[in-house]
Amino acid sequence: MRKNRATVITLLISIVVLLVLLAVTNWPFAGGVAIGKAAPRDVAANIPELKDGAILAANRWPDACSFVDQKEIKAIFPDAKDIGQESRPVYALSIKDFAADSSWKARDASESGQCLYSMRLPGETYAATQFWLRIEAVADPKLIAGYDDRVGSGIKTPQGAGGADRCVITGLAEGSWHCRKGPLLFSVGGQTTVTFKGEQDAAPFAWRDDVLPEFVRTVAAKIK
């Protein structure tokens, strides 16, 4: 009796394992999600010429969402669906400025200094993949370079600057990049639940190393 029961249990386990293997083998996205190449529009960012230490007030910053559009996202993620974007405000007052004058001024805030993009990649049941772009400062390129070299912190990327003048990785776990190009200081980051082609899992390193450089190239191309 025990022998028969053991045989039945073994048979059931074998059937379950077989069904799981069949499901994985026939899963349409088992090979991972494809990552394309940046294809930026030939459009310059709306930034005036800045020199002699000039700083562009935050309320005059370009709309962060204007740096990456849906077609440019599709170039990087050809299979992306349900692409959406949302502008978010950025408060640009430094601690030093606040100490000098803590009163609120319109020039210290950008209503659209950050853009949050959402999308649904193959295998996701909702728009779980997110990419964000945040403008950190807009000023005379020499001032941006000096400030970034002195104050900016992070680890240089093995991929290089991705079309920018300089980029560093500021968060290893989150995979965020901090970059500068001419008069623009900006950060990009994001997250996803999918596995990309050639990767074993949805580790943030794949997003950091393979995806974000394409977004950096797209943003940097807008700075002429």
Side-chain angles (χ1 to χ4, degrees):
M1 189 70 170
R2 289 182 178 177
K3 185 177 181 180
N4 291 338
R5 183 179 299 174
T7 301
V8 171
I9 292 175
T10 301
L11 181 61
L12 289 174
I13 293 175
S14 299
I15 292 174
V16 170
V17 171
L18 179 60
L19 290 174
V20 170
L21 289 174
L22 287 173
V24 172
T25 302
N26 290 286
W27 182 250
F29 311 115
V33 174
I35 302 173
K37 295 295 183 182
R41 294 175 293 123
D42 187 21
V43 177
N46 184 24
I47 299 177
E49 183 180 2
L50 299 166
K51 55 185 180 180
D52 299 326
I55 300 173
L56 191 66
N59 62 343
R60 295 181 58 201
W61 287 358
D63 184 347
C65 289
S66 68
F67 284 92
V68 183
D69 62 22
Q70 291 198 10
K71 287 185 178 180
E72 291 167 328
I73 288 177
K74 291 283 286 185
I76 299 170
F77 291 130
D79 299 317
K81 296 181 179 180
D82 303 334
I83 301 173
Q85 65 185 47
E86 177 186 350
S87 294
R88 294 188 174 182
V90 170
Y91 195 58
L93 186 65
S94 69
I95 293 178
K96 182 178 179 180
D97 292 336
F98 178 81
D101 183 1
S102 61
S103 61
W104 184 88
K105 296 174 286 295
R107 68 173 182 269
D108 297 326
S110 170
E111 292 302 318
S112 55
Q114 180 167 326
C115 192
L116 176 65
Y117 300 83
S118 61
M119 65 204 79
R120 179 168 60 88
L121 296 182
E124 293 180 326
T125 57
Y126 65 98
T129 296
Q130 293 184 331
F131 160 73
W132 56 261
L133 162 66
R134 176 187 169 96
I135 297 175
E136 304 292 349
V138 184
D140 174 355
K142 292 182 179 179
L143 183 61
I144 287 288
Y147 175 83
D148 188 35
D149 290 340
R150 177 119 183 215
V151 180
S153 61
I155 302 172
K156 288 186 177 180
T157 68
Q159 301 84 353
D165 296 330
R166 178 177 182 265
C167 285
V168 294
I169 299 171
T170 59
L172 293 178
E174 299 82 7
S176 56
W177 283 40
H178 179 84
C179 305
R180 72 170 188 253
K181 174 68 181 291
L184 182 70
L185 190 67
F186 65 98
S187 297
V188 296
Q191 60 187 17
T192 187
T193 66
V194 305
T195 300
F196 297 114
K197 285 186 176 180
E199 301 293 337
Q200 297 298 317
D201 53 38
F205 303 108
W207 179 276
R208 182 196 70 190
D209 296 341
D210 301 327
V211 175
L212 287 184
E214 303 305 324
F215 279 112
V216 170
R217 290 185 183 92
T218 301
V219 174
K222 308 297 170 58
I223 307 300
K224 306 299 184 182

